[in-house]
Amino acid sequence: MKKHQLQKLVVALMLTTILSSGATSANVVPGHVIKDPILGGQQSEWVTPARNVHQFNAKKWQYKHQQTALPATYDPRNTNQVTPIRDQYETGLCWTYSGTDILAMSKLKKTGIQTTFSPNYFNYLFADNAFTDNPINPLAVSGRKLAQGGTSSWTIMAGVLGYNPATEDDFQTLDADGHGTKELATKEITQTTFNQTPTDQSFSVEGYVQNDGAFSDESAQAVVDNTKKLISENGAVEYSFNAYFLLADRLTFEKPAYNVETGALNLPSDYESSITATKNSNGEDIKISTWSHNHATTIVGWDDNFSKGKFAKDVQPAQDGAFLVKNSWGTEWGEDGYFWVSYEDYYLLEGLLGTAKVGQPTNEKLITSADAPASSDWGLETDDQYTGKQVVLANVLDIPNTQTNAKFSAISLPAISNGAKYSIYYVNHEVDATTLTTEDQVKQVGKKIKSGVAENHGQVKVNVPTQKLPAGQKVTLIAVEQDPNGISEDGAGFQIQIPGASLPTDADAGKNMLAWQQEDGTYEWLDIATEGVKTYLGLYLK
């Protein structure tokens, strides 16, 4: 892939994220409120995700239950291992309800302590009109106003960067009736007041990990198995989809995807790309882009024996099995606030389901050239000139001059896939990565401090042998990663972040770079700091 092609790809990724920055959030009014749903953004502003071309027939694919050591059924409601159902009501904050649920469930798994985190806290953290005494919050997503959309991963990446959540008791989200209201979500406060809000320091967020999408029978099997594994280890994963299909009391579909009687949803991969539905209140027809995401929820359990007969007749899956999904529309909706989604559901199989990996509290500070936690993943485009399975990242980091005895023993790695092989190199000075054209040159300039296999796709914490740091100077981290399945063959995701989702980054030129391996073994380097994107390759300063 030539440099100009890399640049075109990065620009395309930027535009996609800019346009869809609110796409995983829906301002969906819960079913028990007698008014039409108000979704976060006009339909024309939503971006329809590129649909992966299945290499398998979902109607013939058979999930092999015996391949996993996990139980056939897991329902955390039976053992009080789930956070309470909440009601986002008239706010567009489903993304932070989902994100804070994921953080709370991960903490619960790790510590056994039940905590209710404030969705509204992250609403203010990422809004550019949040404070009366400072109109632009340092972590604001450009153009995002209070009570508007976002993505669940923001809350988790905020934790990775050291911004832990506040509890509901310390930063109010719900009114006396248990509703998230516009009044509370747009209340005028000062940044000083916000900064004085206590945050939960009883745990640390070590990573934002994801499940790769499905591209074959084997990877479809892996999506279901890995989703179960992520839930069993971390408590919950995000699930984003088109919420219009749940609004059976508001809309009439020719082929309903949701069975109201059983609370079961399935969007099969061969469903129409767009569909017309009729609004029940006034009979108006609306065109719905099927594959657009406009609502974020949280998967918390599963049932291999959930009958395929419980799904709507026109979308019945070929096999039994469903995940239990926690919604944010109150307990009067669905199955006391929950619903089920088939193992064969398009959004499930081809999504990138993310969760938080948490650990013990730490005094370490993550140093990276990135300064805002917006996060997205994209697939690399196949190109005749690109045959490599390997990606290289480089990041120049500034070490504070106050850290006279600075050292690190962990790094934050953007892992490109489940099972990605990686090697980490450390250089105790600044390196111009564009001069490195082969891996041999990377080895010559850097000291390899760790090799291994990333268990999860996403942003992960990797422990390394302790390294001393030069105070007040620049150092360089270089990561060489290989996707065992082949990036160009399977379209495996490559994780880069866009701080603010719509603003160029402010990293200095030459500080944040990536390269894909070419046919001749060399790398075509791109200074992504100048393209408005960057990675979160960084180190944990002790």
Side-chain angles (χ1 to χ4, degrees), residues 395-417:
N395 208 345
V396 177
L397 309 171
D398 293 299
I399 307 304
N401 56 18
T402 56
Q403 301 292 326
T404 54
N405 296 310
K407 55 187 177 180
F408 72 97
S409 57
I411 65 111
S412 185
L413 175 71
I416 63 175
S417 68

Side-chain angles (χ1 to χ4, degrees), residues 188-268:
E188 290 189 352
I189 61 173
T190 65
Q191 188 172 50
T192 300
T193 300
F194 182 82
N195 290 343
Q196 291 174 346
T197 300
T199 56
D200 188 341
Q201 300 301 313
S202 66
F203 71 103
S204 64
V205 183
E206 296 183 346
Y208 171 62
V209 297
Q210 289 187 306
N211 198 355
D212 292 326
F215 297 89
S216 64
D217 288 2
E218 292 75 17
S219 58
Q221 173 80 34
V223 168
V224 177
D225 286 345
N226 288 340
T227 300
K228 290 180 179 180
K229 185 172 183 289
L230 290 178
I231 294 169
S232 66
E233 293 176 351
N234 305 290
V237 299
E238 61 185 309
Y239 169 66
S240 297
F241 62 104
N242 192 322
Y244 272 121
F245 291 103
L246 294 185
L247 301 175
D249 60 336
R250 312 297 173 76
L251 303 171
T252 299
F253 292 92
E254 184 178 344
K255 290 174 56 177
Y258 179 63
N259 186 336
V260 179
E261 300 301 321
T262 59
L265 173 70
N266 182 42
L267 258 293

Side-chain angles (χ1 to χ4, degrees), residues 395-452:
N395 208 345
V396 177
L397 309 171
D398 293 299
I399 307 304
N401 56 18
T402 56
Q403 301 292 326
T404 54
N405 296 310
K407 55 187 177 180
F408 72 97
S409 57
I411 65 111
S412 185
L413 175 71
I416 63 175
S417 68
N418 292 336
K421 298 179 180 179
Y422 65 83
S423 294
I424 308 297
Y425 295 84
Y426 168 64
V427 190
N428 64 356
H429 58 271
E430 183 172 0
V431 173
D432 180 2
T434 57
T435 64
L436 308 176
T437 59
T438 67
E439 187 176 3
D440 287 340
Q441 291 179 340
V442 172
K443 293 177 180 178
Q444 290 171 14
V445 74
K447 170 187 175 184
K448 183 187 288 189
I449 58 175
K450 184 68 177 285
S451 292

Side-chain angles (χ1 to χ4, degrees), residues 273-286:
S273 295
S274 63
I275 191 169
T276 299
T278 301
K279 287 187 178 181
N280 294 347
S281 59
N282 55 17
E284 176 189 353
D285 287 345
I286 60 172

Side-chain angles (χ1 to χ4, degrees), residues 133-336:
D133 56 348
N134 185 358
I136 301 296
N137 178 20
L139 288 184
V141 174
S142 178
R144 185 193 167 270
K145 304 302 181 184
L146 288 169
Q148 289 185 350
T151 67
S152 302
S153 60
W154 290 356
T155 64
I156 303 167
M157 282 301 297
V160 171
L161 294 180
Y163 296 88
N164 272 27
T167 67
E168 179 65 23
D169 289 339
D170 290 320
F171 203 89
Q172 186 180 3
T173 300
L174 305 177
D175 65 12
D177 295 324
H179 293 155
T181 66
K182 273 286 186 68
E183 181 181 2
L184 283 171
T186 57
K187 183 179 178 181
E188 290 189 352
I189 61 173
T190 65
Q191 188 172 50
T192 300
T193 300
F194 182 82
N195 290 343
Q196 291 174 346
T197 300
T199 56
D200 188 341
Q201 300 301 313
S202 66
F203 71 103
S204 64
V205 183
E206 296 183 346
Y208 171 62
V209 297
Q210 289 187 306
N211 198 355
D212 292 326
F215 297 89
S216 64
D217 288 2
E218 292 75 17
S219 58
Q221 173 80 34
V223 168
V224 177
D225 286 345
N226 288 340
T227 300
K228 290 180 179 180
K229 185 172 183 289
L230 290 178
I231 294 169
S232 66
E233 293 176 351
N234 305 290
V237 299
E238 61 185 309
Y239 169 66
S240 297
F241 62 104
N242 192 322
Y244 272 121
F245 291 103
L246 294 185
L247 301 175
D249 60 336
R250 312 297 173 76
L251 303 171
T252 299
F253 292 92
E254 184 178 344
K255 290 174 56 177
Y258 179 63
N259 186 336
V260 179
E261 300 301 321
T262 59
L265 173 70
N266 182 42
L267 258 293
S269 59
D270 58 357
Y271 202 85
E272 292 85 347
S273 295
S274 63
I275 191 169
T276 299
T278 301
K279 287 187 178 181
N280 294 347
S281 59
N282 55 17
E284 176 189 353
D285 287 345
I286 60 172
K287 195 78 168 179
I288 296 173
S289 178
T290 302
W291 309 115
S292 61
H293 297 234
N294 59 29
H295 189 50
T297 56
T298 311
I299 298 177
V300 297
W302 67 83
D303 183 358
D304 289 350
N305 301 313
F306 191 90
S307 173
K308 62 184 179 182
K310 292 184 177 181
F311 294 90
K313 62 181 180 63
D314 291 321
V315 296
Q316 277 192 4
Q319 58 195 323
D320 296 342
F323 284 103
L324 177 66
V325 187
K326 180 187 179 190
N327 206 350
S328 56
W329 294 351
T331 57
E332 296 179 42
W333 180 89
E335 187 180 295
D336 295 324

Side-chain angles (χ1 to χ4, degrees), residues 8 83 88 126 201 207 263 298 386 407 431 479 482 535:
K8 286 172 62 179
T83 53
Q88 72 181 73
F126 298 123
Q201 300 301 313
T298 311
Y386 172 72
K407 55 187 177 180
V431 173
Q482 290 182 335
T535 71

